[in-house]
Amino acid sequence: MITVLAVHFAVAAVAPLIFRKFGRSSFYALAAVPAGSFVWLLLQHGAVYATAGLHGSGGHASEITPWIPDLGIEFAFRLDALAWVMSLLVLGVGALVLLYCARYFKNKDQYLGGFGAQLLAFAGAMFGLVMADDLLLLFIFWELTTVLSYLLIGYARTRLAARRSALQALMVTTAGGLAMLVGLIMLGSAAGTYRISAILEQSPDLVAGQAAGAVGAAVVLILIGAVTKSALVPFHFWLPGAMAAPTPVSAYLHAAAMVKAGVYIVARLAPGFTDTEYWLPLVLGLGLATMLVGGYRALRQTDIKLILAYGTVSQLGFLTMVVGLGRPDAALAGLAMLLAHGLFKATLFLVVGIIDHQAGTRDIGKLSGVFQSSRALAIVAGVGAASMAGVPLLGGFVAKESVLEAFVHFAGEPGHGLWGAVVLAGVVLGSVLTFAYSARFFWGAFAVKPGVDRTPFKPIEPSFLAAPAVLSVLTIVYGLWPAPVDGWIQPYAALFTAAAADAGAEAGAAGHLALWHGLTPALGLTAVTFALGLAMFFARGAVGRAQGLVPDWIDADRGYRLTIGALDDVAVWLTGRTQRGSLYFYLAVILTAAFVLPLAALVFARKPLPEGLYFIDPNSPLQIVAGAGIVIGALAAVRANKRFLAVLMVSVTGYGIALMFALQGAPDLALTQMLVETIILVAFVLAMRSLPAELRDRTGGKYRVVRVIIGLAFGATMVFAAIHAMGARVATPVSLEFPKLAYEGGGGLNIVNVTLVDIRAWDTFGEISVLALAATGVASLIFLRGRGDGIRASSTVEEGTVGRRRGVDKFSRDGAALALTRKFAASTRDAWLVAGRTLAPERRSIIFEVVTRLMFHSMIIFSLYLLLAGHNLPGGGFAGGLMAGLALTLRYLAGGRYELREATPISAGTLLGLGLATAAASGVAPLLLGGQVFQSAIIELWLPVFGDIKFVTSTIFDTGVYIVVVGLVLDVLRSLGAEIDEHFEEEPAAMRRERAEALHPATEWESASVPADTGRGEA
C-alpha cells in the first residue's frame, strides 16, 4: 500500500518533465499508474475477502510503519471491504479519466504538466485517505485532497470565475476540515488511541461510557467536516461553483472521488457511532434536505453540466442518508448506490465534456439534434442517465431498489413513527426529482428543439469516447449481474449485525443485491417515482413557471457572498481603527493586552506570594550596582532627546543584564548577551545615519501619562507573574536532569551549549533558519537586486591625496577601486588595510587602524576558540560567530565598505547557505549510519602533538551555527553599512550638504565657515 502511494506521488513529481517531452500523450503514461494500482487492488481480493471477519478480526490487509513514535502517529494503512470498494472507484475511474484527458486537452493548452501532476497526486491522496487506519493520517490525506482540489478547480487561472470558485471550495471545505480535526483529536483522546479499527472495536464502551458526551461532540464535529466535503446543505453551493473546473476534474473529483470522501467518513464511522445522540438527526435531516434542494435546483438549470452538478448534490444527500442509517440492509444498499453513482455520474460528466469539446456549448437552448450527429455518444449518455433515474436492467436500478427497501423497513419499525414516514416520503420525492432532471439532461443534450438550428458537431474519435463507453458498459453489467458487487459489500454490512449483537439489540438481515426481488413495496414506490417523474418532465414548462415564483434571495451561494462581504466590511472597519500607522498606539495595545490578561489571572487566582522572597541576593551585593545601572539606563533612554544617546542608554540596560547573568553564575549567557548587545548597538548606529539626529516629540503628546502608566503596569505585572510562576511549580524541573544528560549523552560540561546543539538541536536548527530569513529580510529592505555582495559603481571615490573628493571614472567592481588604491599606495609591501586609503582624511583614524591591526586576527582566533571550547567551557558557535562578526565590524569601521569587501570575499548569502547546509548535514549523517536525526557521537582518540582528544560530532552542528551567525552579521554590515555608504557617495554635493544640515543642523558659525562647494576637510 505504501508502495502504491509512493509511486503515485513520485510520478506526479516528475510529470511536468514528461509533458515537456511528450505533450498531451503523457496522460497515457500517467494513466498507467492508477491502472497498475487497480490491477494490484484486484489481486488483493483474496486477502480481503477470504477470511472476512467482524470488527477487524479478519478480512483485511494492513501495513504499519512508525512515523512519530512519541506522539503515537504511524503510517497505518488497512485494506478492508469498505476501503477495497472505495478504491475500485478511486483507481478505476482515475485511470479512465486520465486516458480521457489525452484527447480532451490540446497540445497548445497551457499548464498541462502541472494539471496532470495534480490529478495523479489527487488520486494518490484519495487512495491514502480511504486506506488510512490512523485518524491524524486520515486528516493529512483529507487536507491534501482539499488543496489539490483547489488547484485543479482553478486550472484556468486567467479566468476570474475559476479562481473565485476554487477559493470558495477551499474556504468551505477547509473550515469543515478544521472542525473535523478537533473532532478527530477529541475522539482519539477519549479512546486512548488514534487507530480507527481499534476505536471501532471499543465504540460500544465509548458511546455508553463516562466520556459519552465528549464522544458525541467529537462525532458531530467530524460530521461537520463530512458535510462540507460532500456538499450537503447548507454548504452545497460550492459544488456547482466548482464546475468552472475542466470536465475531467468534475468527472473525477465531483462524481467519483473527492465528494465521496464525506460519504466515506460517514460509512466508516457508522458501524460504531450511529447510536450517538445527534447522528441520525444530522445525517437524515441534512441528507434529506440536500436531496430535495439539489433535485429542485437541477430542474432550473439550462447548462447540462450544472444539471449534473446539482444532481450530484442531490445524490450525495441521498448517499449520506442511506450509509448513515446504521442498518445492515442500508449499509449494503449505500455502498451499492455509491458504486452505481460513481459509474453513471462519471459517464455523464465525461459525455458533457465531449459535447462541449465538439459543439462548443453546453446550453440546452442551443443544443439541438446532437443525437443524430453522434448516436454512439447518445447511447452512452442514455445508459448513464437511465441508470441515474433508476431504470431497470441497470446498476442504478439495482442499487436504488435496495435503498428504497431499506427505508421501507426503517419506516415500518416500531419507534420511528412519523419520522420514519417523513423520511421515506422525502426519499420518494427526491427520487421523483432525480428521474425528472435525468430526463431533462438527456432531452436538453440530444433532442431536436423546435425552432433551433441543428448544432454543428465534430466527429468523435473512438479514443475520446472510450472512457465513458467503458463506464456505461460496466453500468449495464452491474445491473444484469449484481452478484459480484453483493459479495464485495456483504462483509461491510455484516459489521452492523455484529455491532447490534454486541449491544444486545436485534438487527435485520442485510439482504442481497438482485435485479428482481419480486413484487415488493420498493418496486411499487419505483413505479410511482417513474410516473411522477415523467409527469414533471412533460410539464416542464409549468414546473419552470412555478419555480420562477420562488424569490431569488433564497440562494445559499448568495448567502455565502453576503457573509464574506460582511466579513470584509468588518475587517476594513476594524483595520481602520487599529492599524493607524502609530507606533505608540500599537505598543499601547500590545502591552495593555500583555499585562491585563496576566493581571486578571493573578487577581482572580488570589494565591499568596511564595515564601522566601528577597529583594537582593545576599551572596551577590554587586547586583545593586547592576540593577541601578539598568534603571538609570532605562530612565535616561526615556528622557534622551538624541537618537544616539537613546540607543546608547538602551545598550547600557543590556550590558547591565549581562552583568546580572555573570553575577548569577551564568557566564555563557553573560558572554552571549554582551556580544549580542554590541552587535545590535553597531547596527542601530549604522541605521541611524539616515535618520534625523533629534527625537522630535520624544516625550510629548497628550497621551504621555497614559504611556507611562502602561509601561509601569506592564513591568510590574511581568515581575509578579514571574514570581508567581516560579512559586507555582509542583513538578520536578526537567532542567535538573540536564547536567547528567549533557555529560553522559552530549559529552560536554557546558550545559547551555550541549542543550543547544544536542538535547534541543531541532529548536536550534529552527532558530538559525529564522536568522537566515531575518538576514534575507534586512537585505531585501536595502538592496533592489542581489545582496550587495559586490560593490557597485560609484560616481565618487574618496581619495586621500589633497583631502577633497574628486569626480573620477566609475568603477564597475570594487576590485578595480582597490587595485587603483594599491597602485598609488606609499608602500606596496604593507597591503593590509590598504582599502582604508579609500577614505577621506577627516574620516580616517590612525589609532583606530592600528588597533584594528592588533585586534582583528586575535578576535578571529578567539572566536574559533569559543567555537571549539564551547562544549565544555563558556562559548559555543553562537558566541564565536558573534565575536567573528565583531571583528568584521571593527575592520569595516576602520577601513570602510571597500575594506569590508576585501575582508570577506565570500558573500553573506553563501555563508548563510553554507551554515544551514553544515547544520543539516550533521543531522542527516547519523541516518546513513543507522542512527537518528541529530544524534551525536563521542569520538575519543590520541594524537601525537595534541594528546588525548575527545571530539563530539555535535561540534559540526555548532560550526554551522557559527557560520550562519557570521553570515547574518555580514549581511547587516553590507545592508546598513556598505550600501548606505554607497548611497551617500552617489549623492550630488548639494544634496549631500542639504541632507547633512537636515540630519545635523549646524550653528551659524559653522555655516559661515564652510564653503558651499567643498568638503569639511578643505574648509
Side-chain angles (χ1 to χ4, degrees):
M1 286 175 263
I2 296 178
T3 302
V4 172
L5 281 172
V7 170
H8 274 80
F9 289 115
V11 177
V14 300
L17 300 179
I18 300 175
F19 274 87
R20 289 182 186 178
K21 180 72 173 177
F22 300 104
R24 68 172 184 175
S25 297
S26 302
F27 280 111
Y28 293 127
L30 268 59
V33 177
S37 302
F38 185 81
V39 173
W40 170 87
L41 183 69
L42 295 178
L43 296 176
Q44 303 306 307
H45 181 275
V48 175
Y49 292 97
T51 57
L54 304 177
H55 284 304
S57 59
H60 68 274
S62 61
E63 290 184 17
I64 301 173
T65 301
W67 182 16
I68 310 177
D70 292 342
L71 298 180
I73 302 178
E74 303 168 319
F75 284 110
F77 298 99
R78 177 186 172 93
L79 182 62
D80 58 7
L82 175 60
W84 196 85
V85 171
M86 282 292 300
S87 297
L88 287 177
L89 280 178
V90 171
L91 298 176
V93 176
L96 291 174
V97 168
L98 284 168
L99 287 172
Y100 175 89
C101 288
R103 288 296 169 262
Y104 177 82
F105 291 101
K106 301 180 177 65
N107 279 319
K108 64 181 181 180
D109 289 334
Q110 294 181 326
Y111 318 121
L112 284 186
F115 177 86
Q118 293 157 12
L119 195 59
L120 182 60
F122 179 89
M126 193 68 198
F127 178 72
L129 189 154
V130 301
M131 303 291 291
D133 194 31
D134 182 273
L135 291 177
L136 297 182
L137 183 64
L138 180 145
F139 177 76
I140 291 172
F141 285 113
W142 182 279
E143 289 303 296
L144 276 177
T145 61
T146 297
V147 173
L148 291 168
S149 171
Y150 164 76
L151 296 174
L152 290 168
I153 294 172
Y155 164 72
R157 60 194 71 178
T158 58
R159 292 175 51 203
L160 179 61
R163 299 200 305 271
R164 181 183 297 157
S165 299
L167 184 60
Q168 183 184 70
L170 179 69
M171 293 181 65
V172 173
T173 54
T174 300
L178 292 175
M180 179 180 174
L181 175 61
V182 176
L184 293 176
I185 294 175
M186 291 175 61
L187 183 59
S189 299
T193 178
Y194 286 90
R195 187 70 61 81
I196 297 174
S197 55
I199 292 173
L200 290 175
E201 286 183 5
Q202 55 178 301
S203 58
D205 297 331
L206 293 174
V207 173
Q210 295 181 347
V215 171
V219 170
V220 170
L221 291 172
I222 294 172
L223 288 178
I224 290 175
V227 164
T228 56
K229 196 79 158 184
S230 288
L232 268 63
V233 168
F235 307 105
H236 61 285
F237 53 86
W238 74 261
L239 181 56
M243 293 302 108
T247 299
V249 174
S250 302
Y252 190 37
L253 275 65
H254 307 136
M258 175 188 167
V259 292
K260 295 288 199 316
V263 178
Y264 166 76
I265 290 295
V266 174
R268 178 58 75 188
L269 298 182
F273 298 99
T274 52
D275 292 333
T276 54
E277 185 176 1
Y278 299 103
W279 178 280
L280 285 181
L282 281 174
V283 169
L284 295 182
L286 296 181
L288 182 59
T290 304
M291 185 179 185
L292 297 178
V293 170
Y296 166 82
R297 294 300 301 268
L299 292 176
R300 298 189 64 174
Q301 306 306 313
T302 58
D303 185 327
I304 55 176
K305 193 174 183 181
L306 286 180
I307 294 175
L308 294 181
Y310 280 102
T312 300
V313 169
S314 177
Q315 293 288 310
L316 289 172
F318 188 37
L319 285 169
T320 303
M321 290 176 65
V322 64
V323 299
L325 197 56
R327 299 166 46 91
D329 53 354
L332 179 73
L335 288 196
M337 192 67 209
L338 185 143
L339 277 176
H341 178 267
L343 292 175
F344 65 66
K345 192 57 66 73
T347 300
L348 295 176
F349 270 117
L350 295 179
V351 167
V352 167
I354 294 175
I355 293 174
D356 191 16
H357 195 275
Q358 305 301 107
T361 183
R362 302 194 305 255
D363 192 335
I364 62 175
K366 298 179 181 179
L367 290 170
S368 180
V370 176
F371 180 88
Q372 299 172 355
S373 301
S374 179
R375 297 182 183 275
L377 181 65
I379 293 172
V380 170
V383 171
S387 182
M388 182 166 63
V391 174
L393 304 181
L394 299 173
F397 169 77
V398 172
K400 189 167 289 187
E401 284 294 291
S402 298
V403 173
L404 291 175
E405 191 70 31
F407 279 108
V408 168
H409 292 163
F410 176 76
E413 288 181 351
H416 295 146
L418 180 61
W419 173 238
V422 169
V423 171
L424 178 61
V427 169
V428 173
L429 178 57
S431 299
V432 171
L433 295 174
T434 301
F435 189 98
Y437 68 68
S438 300
R440 177 180 177 82
F441 167 82
F442 189 78
W443 168 82
F446 295 97
V448 176
K449 314 297 192 313
V452 179
D453 295 335
R454 180 172 175 176
T455 305
F457 200 85
K458 304 174 185 176
I460 305 173
E461 298 180 12
S463 58
F464 198 10
L465 187 59
V470 170
L471 292 171
S472 64
V473 170
L474 292 175
T475 300
I476 297 172
V477 173
Y478 180 12
L480 298 177
W481 188 36
V485 177
D486 182 75
W488 299 339
I489 302 174
Q490 286 292 347
Y492 171 72
L495 293 176
F496 294 86
T497 305
D502 291 344
E506 295 183 1
H512 63 278
L513 299 177
L515 182 60
W516 174 254
H517 286 280
L519 299 176
T520 61
L523 185 63
L525 292 176
T526 298
V528 172
T529 298
F530 288 177
L532 294 179
L534 284 171
M536 289 191 69
F537 170 70
F538 286 114
R540 54 186 176 274
V543 171
R545 288 189 294 272
Q547 289 182 322
L549 299 176
V550 178
D552 292 336
W553 59 266
I554 304 179
D555 186 356
D557 184 55
R558 183 178 181 184
Y560 166 82
R561 293 197 302 270
L562 291 175
T563 302
I564 296 299
L567 288 176
D568 288 341
D569 293 340
V570 171
V572 170
W573 179 86
L574 189 61
T575 302
R577 282 155 181 78
T578 57
Q579 302 299 315
R580 300 181 177 183
S582 170
L583 180 60
Y584 292 142
F585 179 79
Y586 297 155
L587 289 175
V589 172
I590 294 171
L591 296 180
T592 301
F595 85 79
V596 167
L597 296 179
L599 183 61
L602 292 175
V603 171
F604 286 110
R606 295 183 178 179
K607 291 186 177 180
L609 293 174
E611 298 179 357
L613 293 177
Y614 52 84
F615 186 71
I616 296 295
D617 188 351
N619 298 322
S620 182
L622 285 178
Q623 286 186 7
I624 299 177
V625 177
I630 293 173
V631 172
I632 293 173
L635 293 176
V638 172
R639 298 293 301 172
N641 57 3
K642 298 285 187 177
R643 293 184 188 274
F644 178 76
L645 181 59
V647 171
L648 191 60
M649 290 300 102
V650 170
S651 294
V652 168
T653 65
Y655 289 124
I657 293 173
L659 179 58
M660 282 284 195
F661 288 150
L663 295 174
Q664 287 298 108
D668 241 348
L669 295 180
L671 176 63
T672 304
Q673 173 72 17
M674 183 184 68
L675 294 173
V676 168
E677 199 63 48
T678 305
I679 289 291
I680 292 176
L681 175 61
V682 171
F684 269 110
V685 170
L686 291 176
M688 284 192 305
R689 293 180 297 166
S690 300
L691 299 174
E694 294 185 356
L695 284 168
R696 298 182 178 88
D697 299 327
R698 178 66 177 87
T699 58
K702 59 182 179 180
Y703 297 110
R704 177 182 179 183
V705 177
V706 175
R707 297 201 300 268
V708 171
I709 294 174
I710 293 175
L712 293 175
F714 174 77
T717 302
M718 292 301 104
V719 169
F720 282 99
I723 293 174
H724 277 281
M726 295 177 66
R729 184 185 297 278
V730 295
T732 302
V734 296
S735 58
L736 296 181
E737 293 295 324
F738 273 27
K740 180 180 178 181
L741 289 172
Y743 184 72
E744 297 181 358
L749 297 174
N750 186 346
I751 302 171
V752 174
N753 184 256
V754 174
T755 300
L756 292 175
V757 300
D758 189 310
I759 300 175
R760 303 188 64 179
W762 275 110
D763 291 353
T764 306
F765 187 77
E767 289 164 3
I768 62 175
S769 300
V770 171
L771 286 180
L773 291 175
T776 303
V778 171
S780 66
L781 293 175
I782 304 297
F783 297 106
L784 294 179
R785 62 174 64 90
R787 301 181 75 105
D789 296 325
I791 298 177
R792 297 184 297 276
S794 176
S795 60
T796 62
V797 174
E798 296 173 321
E799 299 180 8
T801 55
V802 294
R804 61 178 297 175
R805 292 170 182 159
R806 298 175 178 175
V808 297
D809 294 335
K810 292 185 177 181
F811 299 111
S812 60
R813 304 184 66 86
D814 60 325
L818 294 175
L820 183 63
T821 302
R822 288 192 178 93
K823 182 177 179 180
F824 290 97
S827 173
T828 58
R829 293 176 298 172
D830 188 9
W832 202 76
L833 266 182
V834 68
R837 303 181 187 279
T838 59
L839 293 174
E842 69 269 19
R843 292 185 57 188
R844 292 189 64 185
S845 170
I846 301 301
I847 296 178
F848 202 0
E849 292 183 12
V850 171
V851 170
T852 302
R853 286 173 177 264
L854 295 174
M855 296 293 296
F856 178 78
H857 299 92
S858 299
M859 293 175 70
I860 293 296
I861 296 298
F862 184 58
S863 73
L864 295 175
Y865 166 78
L866 291 175
L867 167 65
L868 299 176
H871 213 64
N872 295 291
L873 298 172
F878 192 75
L882 290 173
M883 180 59 68
L886 284 176
L888 293 175
T889 303
L890 190 65
R891 193 161 174 181
Y892 161 71
L893 294 176
R897 66 189 184 95
Y898 289 103
E899 186 60 41
L900 178 65
R901 182 68 181 87
E902 181 79 355
T904 55
I906 302 177
S907 70
T910 301
L911 284 175
L912 291 170
L914 182 61
L916 285 176
T918 302
S922 70
V924 174
L927 290 176
L928 305 178
L929 302 175
Q932 298 181 1
V933 179
F934 288 121
Q935 181 176 347
S936 298
I938 302 174
I939 303 173
E940 297 184 4
L941 68 158
W942 182 88
L943 296 178
V945 177
F946 298 95
D948 293 327
I949 299 295
K950 180 182 178 182
F951 178 75
V952 184
T953 55
S954 59
T955 305
I956 301 175
F957 179 87
D958 216 9
T959 303
V961 176
Y962 176 94
I963 298 172
V964 168
V965 174
V966 173
L968 170 67
V969 175
L970 180 59
D971 227 347
V972 171
L973 291 176
R974 288 185 174 173
S975 301
L976 302 179
E979 183 68 8
I980 295 179
D981 288 344
E982 184 175 354
H983 290 171
F984 288 166
E985 292 172 8
E986 291 178 347
E987 288 181 352
M991 291 181 60
R992 190 159 55 246
R993 184 175 62 254
E994 292 176 1
R995 177 184 54 77
E997 292 176 353
L999 294 179
H1000 307 283
T1003 63
E1004 293 183 1
W1005 182 87
E1006 289 173 324
S1007 299
S1009 300
V1010 180
D1013 296 332
T1014 62
R1016 189 67 176 268
E1018 203 171 39

